[in-house]
Amino acid sequence: MGYQRRLNMDLPQGQSAFLWGARQTGKSTFLRQRFPNSFYIDLLNSDNLLSLSARPARLGEILTQKAPEILKRPIIIDEIQKVPSLLDEVHRLIESCGFSFILCGSSARRMRRAGVNLLGGRAWRFDLFPLNWNEVPEFDLLRALNRGMLPSIYDQPRFGRSLKAYVQDYLTEEIFNDATTRNAPTFVRFFDCLRFCHGELLNYTSISRECAIDAKTVKVYFDILQDSLVGYRIFPFHRSSGRQSITAAPKFFLFDVGVASHICGRSLTNEYGPEFGRAFEHFILLELIAARGYREQDYSIEFWRTKSGLEVDFILGGGEVAIEVKTRVRHGDLRAIRAFADEFSPSAAFVVTAEQDRRRIDDIDILPYTDFLRLLHDGNVI
């Protein structure tokens, strides 16, 4: 199925850009549809990869042979992280010839490790995420939580095989290729532990003991996942107040709820229970991240947890908005978000639920997730 992506990538004449996103988020498809008449170089093509790796200056030779009307459009280079040395030639062509480029990739980490500059601010940054709620016609929540929102997997009948291949052939490969010490058994143990710490407070020392890997190496693995755009650390919100709150340990979430479901061994058949609740919270977080990116906003996304056990799932904009995610709203479920509202006076407080009823209690809006996501993507949450 074709999807109408929400990324707005309108570039002024002569403006270059990076488009980042994890593998299979649909970057190549998006660029071919958005810029159908642009000259396109795919570094997954072995001929392109070998010739440009051996001699990056060949890029200039190729382009100067093209018709002038083609060179007025952005020149697209896909999988740019495979040839980091190409950035110097791109930089030269921008400066000397006035060309514009769209450089598409899945990991800026390799570029930084290669010591190349990312065009010194000459290129705007865009991010493409997995599908979000308002990009999927006839959205089905359980389908999304089980399969995830990668365009190439969401519609597949045998999605389990594709998720398995994605984890085994891509995620572990990314860590292996980017790790400073390449020790395959440690990767296996790390991924075994990932299922237990996903969505939880990260304690690198505890994880290192559990999977028999040095704590510094564990932190490097999480760094690689985040730099490869397949994971996010969410840090605790802290502001001086009367309560003692957790201020250091972040949580870690993978970039796609289906990939997380596969790694965690989770298969959901009903919209209730602890496993559904964890997946549902993860799904709402990913919608927040995508909406923030596509609307070109830069507000923080944090969580609040006190040492006494009160917790609010997401705090936006340094305390401006508080969001709790609940499968069902029962008596006592508003205690934490009320406590946060009493202390920090956010401009809005939401409880996002899988229920269908919409209501308001003590300045807290309890919304079905579809109502909340409509507000979010329309820019009416923050």
Side-chain angles (χ1 to χ4, degrees):
M1 177 187 295
Y3 298 99
Q4 185 67 40
R5 306 308 301 266
R6 298 293 172 141
L7 174 61
N8 180 16
M9 199 172 184
D10 287 332
L11 300 175
Q13 183 70 34
Q15 178 63 52
S16 294
F18 285 101
L19 176 61
W20 298 109
R23 296 267 183 90
Q24 295 191 33
T25 49
K27 300 185 299 297
S28 301
T29 300
F30 172 82
L31 289 175
R32 289 186 184 277
Q33 292 176 346
R34 176 65 184 80
F35 302 96
N37 298 315
S38 283
F39 182 63
Y40 195 101
I41 297 174
D42 185 0
L43 294 178
L44 286 177
N45 180 298
S46 58
D47 290 338
N48 292 334
L49 178 63
L50 291 173
S51 66
L52 292 171
S53 296
R55 201 164 65 88
R58 176 160 167 69
L59 176 63
E61 297 169 2
I62 292 171
L63 294 180
T64 53
Q65 296 173 11
K66 300 299 175 184
E69 59 269 20
I70 291 178
L71 299 178
K72 291 178 181 178
R73 307 184 190 106
I75 299 148
I76 297 172
I77 303 179
D78 205 352
E79 298 292 339
I80 186 62
Q81 78 278 354
K82 290 185 172 293
V83 189
S85 59
L86 206 54
L87 264 293
D88 287 335
E89 179 66 4
V90 167
H91 191 165
R92 184 187 73 81
L93 293 169
I94 291 173
E95 293 295 314
S96 64
C97 302
F99 296 162
S100 63
F101 291 84
I102 298 175
L103 307 168
C104 179
S106 58
S107 176
R109 182 184 181 88
R110 295 186 191 177
M111 315 284 280
R112 291 195 297 268
R113 286 180 60 193
V116 300
N117 72 71
L118 297 180
L119 303 184
R122 291 168 179 80
W124 294 353
R125 173 175 180 145
F126 295 87
D127 294 274
L128 190 67
F129 304 95
L131 296 169
N132 58 58
W133 167 79
N134 64 352
E135 293 175 333
V136 179
E138 300 179 4
F139 177 82
D140 183 288
L141 181 59
L142 277 180
R143 183 189 185 107
L145 299 188
N146 283 312
R147 301 184 178 204
M149 299 285 273
L150 291 172
S152 60
I153 296 177
Y154 182 79
D155 286 318
Q156 285 196 16
R158 303 181 72 181
F159 64 91
R161 284 186 175 273
S162 296
L163 286 171
K164 181 178 180 180
Y166 192 93
V167 171
Q168 292 182 343
D169 299 339
Y170 172 50
L171 293 190
T172 53
E173 175 190 346
E174 283 294 312
I175 293 180
F176 189 83
N177 288 337
D178 282 342
T180 53
T181 302
R182 296 186 179 182
N183 185 335
T186 66
F187 302 139
V188 175
R189 295 199 299 273
F190 174 73
F191 270 99
D192 284 344
C193 289
L194 194 58
R195 72 177 63 196
F196 302 111
C197 59
H198 181 270
E200 304 295 334
L201 292 176
L202 287 183
N203 184 321
Y204 299 118
T205 302
S206 176
I207 296 169
S208 73
R209 285 196 301 265
E210 185 70 27
C211 53
I213 303 172
D214 179 79
K216 291 182 180 178
T217 304
V218 169
K219 185 177 184 302
V220 167
Y221 290 169
F222 280 110
D223 289 343
I224 292 169
L225 288 174
Q226 181 162 300
D227 288 348
S228 300
L229 310 177
V230 294
Y232 305 100
R233 287 187 182 96
I234 305 299
F235 287 87
F237 168 84
H238 175 69
R239 191 193 295 166
S240 296
S241 70
R243 297 179 189 268
Q244 288 188 314
S245 59
I246 292 172
T247 60
K251 295 181 180 182
F252 178 82
F253 294 88
L254 286 160
F255 80 113
D256 178 69
V257 67
V259 171
S261 289
H262 176 80
I263 289 176
C264 296
R266 182 172 63 207
S267 180
L268 303 171
T269 57
N270 296 289
E271 294 185 3
Y272 58 82
E275 289 297 302
F276 173 81
R278 282 188 280 272
F280 186 45
E281 176 188 338
H282 184 195
F283 165 71
I284 295 298
L285 168 64
L286 297 178
E287 292 287 320
L288 290 169
I289 291 171
R292 178 181 64 179
Y294 291 156
R295 296 192 64 81
E296 300 185 27
Q297 297 173 296
D298 60 359
Y299 55 80
S300 60
I301 301 175
E302 300 165 302
F303 69 93
W304 181 65
R305 179 184 286 187
T306 69
K307 293 181 179 179
S308 64
L310 293 174
E311 180 169 356
V312 177
D313 294 318
F314 305 118
I315 307 299
L316 309 185
E320 186 176 345
V321 176
I323 300 168
E324 265 287 327
V325 182
K326 296 291 184 185
T327 306
R328 303 285 185 272
V329 180
R330 300 178 179 87
H331 179 71
D333 284 345
L334 302 183
R335 181 175 169 233
I337 199 166
R338 278 175 173 154
F340 183 89
D342 288 344
E343 286 200 38
F344 301 108
S345 302
S347 60
F350 300 95
V351 177
V352 183
T353 176
E355 295 177 317
Q356 299 300 312
D357 294 336
R358 177 172 182 161
R359 53 203 187 275
R360 185 176 176 86
I361 302 175
D362 298 336
D363 294 328
I364 298 169
D365 288 302
I366 301 173
L367 301 179
Y369 76 91
T370 51
D371 290 0
F372 174 78
L373 294 180
R374 192 171 293 108
L375 290 175
L376 175 68
H377 290 290
D378 287 344
N380 294 320
V381 167
I382 181 170

